[in-house]
Amino acid sequence: EKAGYDHFMLKEIYEQPKAYRDTLEGRLFPRYPWTYLPELSLTPERLKQFRNVHLVACGTAYHAGLVGKMAIERWARLPAEADVASEYRYRSPLASPETLVIVVSQSGETADTLAALREAKRRGAHTLAVTNVVGSTAAREADDVLFTRAGPEISVASTKAYTTQLLVLYVLALHLARVRGTLPDAEIEPVVRALGELPEQAESVLQQAGEIRGYAQEIASREHLFFLGRGLDFAVALEGSLKLKEISYIHSEAYAAGELKHGTLALIEEGTPIVALATQPELMSKTASNVREAMARGADVLGIVGAGSPSLSERQLTLPDTHPALMPAIAVVPLQLFAYYAAVARGYDVDKPRNLAKSVTVE
Ligand code: M6R
């Protein structure tokens, strides 16, 4: 059932190009109206009434929510917040009937996420579940549901569930933008086109697995490392860091690159490994200067950059060219492989990391 792969996690990483196709199938058009989400009960009138959006989830799904927040704010011009579900419930959230609350959950059974969903409903918000499991509690209880269509995810470490959550959130953000008239067609068109190209691009990133494996083997004996990035790259850095901790037990921290100098730079010494993401053209020079600061203190940097970027570090991976807003969907792939190969090099049970369960049904 692992189809020749050593672990479910690796199989699921390699299934991403197909999962991307399945997720997008029938949901995008190359021309107006661009998006098609007939499963939504929300009418255009109702979609126009929302005043704010809350994205609520745990772990990896929360990291997808962070990207969704940025896409919704940027394209649909709605104030959006992403929250960890176990915090959301207890902070008296400003959710009302004018709030769209999106819960993101692979399993649709995570206790904290379900509790947040119920809290949002109690406050009269319109709830929408983004989930992978048909018939799950979140799918049944939310007012609306969009399925991610990733196929079964067996490995505890979430991979294709995360990337397909990103894709659904991108389509939803475009849908909101189109209905609300906040993004001109000339700006929607390149995003829709780029979404369609993501499966092949994910494929081409997977072809760089050898290089990533080499780097993972080198750092496998280290006890801590950093992931750096700004904006969307910071959201991806958080996901890369979680993945690495979860299965390789190497301690890591994700930092907004500009924040490093406000304390954490003190931890950088000769040989400290850093994975630095710089996929956003308008942030490139700023991130590069933060990376230089770290290198001046001896950091050993692996750069992950977009096509056409100036060089960030001696050792770097170049991602295929896509719309900057979509970069997370391909930039995370090397980080998944990196965590996987580091865990394998350390001899751990990748699919069943210690202390963790696939679905967390206690609060
Ligand atoms: O099923 P869910 O998406 O609600 O699960 C949420 C988290 O428990 C989950 O994403 C967890 O962080 C993963 N094991 C990370 O790889």
Side-chain angles (χ1 to χ4, degrees):
E1 55 200 286
K2 289 184 203 146
Y5 290 96
D6 288 345
H7 298 93
F8 281 109
M9 182 180 178
L10 192 62
K11 171 174 177 267
E12 289 159 7
I13 290 172
Y14 275 83
E15 280 171 349
Q16 288 178 116
K18 176 182 182 307
Y20 289 15
R21 282 188 199 100
D22 293 344
T23 303
L24 295 175
E25 176 75 43
R27 286 172 162 166
L28 288 177
F29 288 122
R31 69 195 83 84
Y32 189 88
W34 309 110
T35 53
Y36 185 62
L37 296 171
E39 57 269 64
L40 289 188
S41 72
L42 290 162
T43 59
E45 292 64 46
R46 185 75 180 94
L47 284 171
K48 282 183 202 151
Q49 282 162 4
F50 290 126
R51 291 281 155 268
N52 63 338
V53 179
H54 292 169
L55 298 109
V56 189
C58 302
T60 284
Y62 164 68
H63 297 152
L66 290 172
V67 174
K69 164 199 151 75
M70 294 190 219
I72 289 169
E73 287 198 335
R74 208 169 281 182
W75 295 336
R77 310 304 295 157
L78 271 169
E81 289 174 72
D83 264 279
V84 166
S86 55
E87 294 291 320
Y88 182 78
R89 257 193 101 179
Y90 301 107
R91 71 164 175 92
S92 194
L94 293 172
S96 74
E98 293 184 328
T99 310
L100 174 63
V101 175
I102 305 172
V103 295
V104 187
S105 174
Q106 188 286 130
S107 62
E109 302 297 347
T110 299
D112 287 316
T113 307
L114 293 176
L117 165 66
R118 290 168 190 152
E119 175 67 19
K121 284 183 92 167
R122 207 177 59 74
R123 290 176 183 267
H126 188 92
T127 55
L128 164 64
V130 173
T131 181
N132 196 35
V133 179
V134 177
S136 60
T137 308
R140 282 185 281 111
E141 290 192 12
D143 298 310
D144 270 300
V145 56
L146 289 172
F147 290 109
T148 47
R149 306 180 187 157
E153 191 183 67
I154 310 292
S155 178
V156 167
S158 186
T159 54
K160 62 178 182 170
Y162 168 79
T163 42
T164 55
Q165 285 160 358
L166 294 184
L167 265 53
V168 166
L169 292 169
Y170 286 136
V171 176
L172 180 66
L174 284 178
H175 191 72
L176 279 164
R178 190 255 295 166
V179 170
R180 298 170 57 86
T182 48
L183 199 64
D185 282 359
E187 285 182 44
I188 298 182
E189 194 272 335
V191 183
V192 168
R193 188 159 26 90
L195 276 166
E197 291 164 359
L198 284 178
E200 286 107 85
Q201 291 174 329
E203 202 92 64
S204 83
V205 177
L206 290 169
Q207 281 159 15
Q208 302 187 61
E211 245 172 289
I212 300 159
R213 182 186 194 161
Y215 184 66
Q217 285 168 340
E218 269 175 52
I219 61 87
S221 58
R222 309 303 298 251
E223 278 320 313
H224 80 142
L225 68 83
F226 289 89
F227 290 86
L228 299 184
R230 285 172 178 253
L232 288 166
D233 288 334
F234 176 44
V236 177
L238 286 164
E239 174 56 8
S241 174
L242 172 60
K243 213 92 303 171
L244 185 73
K245 283 178 282 221
E246 182 176 26
I247 57 170
S248 77
Y249 318 148
I250 298 173
H251 173 250
S252 68
E253 282 195 55
Y255 249 78
E259 187 64 7
L260 200 65
K261 57 188 172 302
H262 298 286
T264 309
L265 202 51
L267 286 171
I268 308 292
E269 51 187 10
E270 195 58 42
T272 303
I274 293 184
V275 177
L277 292 129
T279 70
Q280 302 296 303
E282 82 275 22
L283 300 172
M284 178 71 198
S285 65
K286 289 283 158 61
T287 303
S289 94
N290 302 134
V291 168
R292 276 195 300 274
E293 279 161 6
M295 286 194 297
R297 277 132 191 112
D300 174 8
V301 177
L302 171 70
I304 299 187
V305 300
S309 293
S311 137
L312 186 69
S313 52
E314 213 167 283
R315 178 189 249 163
Q316 66 182 25
L317 275 178
T318 302
L319 299 170
D321 196 19
T322 183
H323 190 285
L326 306 183
M327 269 297 182
I330 43 179
V332 76
V333 177
L335 303 189
Q336 297 167 340
L337 288 166
F338 178 60
Y340 173 78
Y341 286 119
V344 169
R346 287 165 75 104
Y348 295 131
D349 183 352
V350 174
D351 286 331
K352 284 201 176 52
R354 67 189 182 204
N355 310 338
L356 299 174
K358 180 65 182 161
S359 182
V360 184
T361 52
V362 289
E363 283 182 51

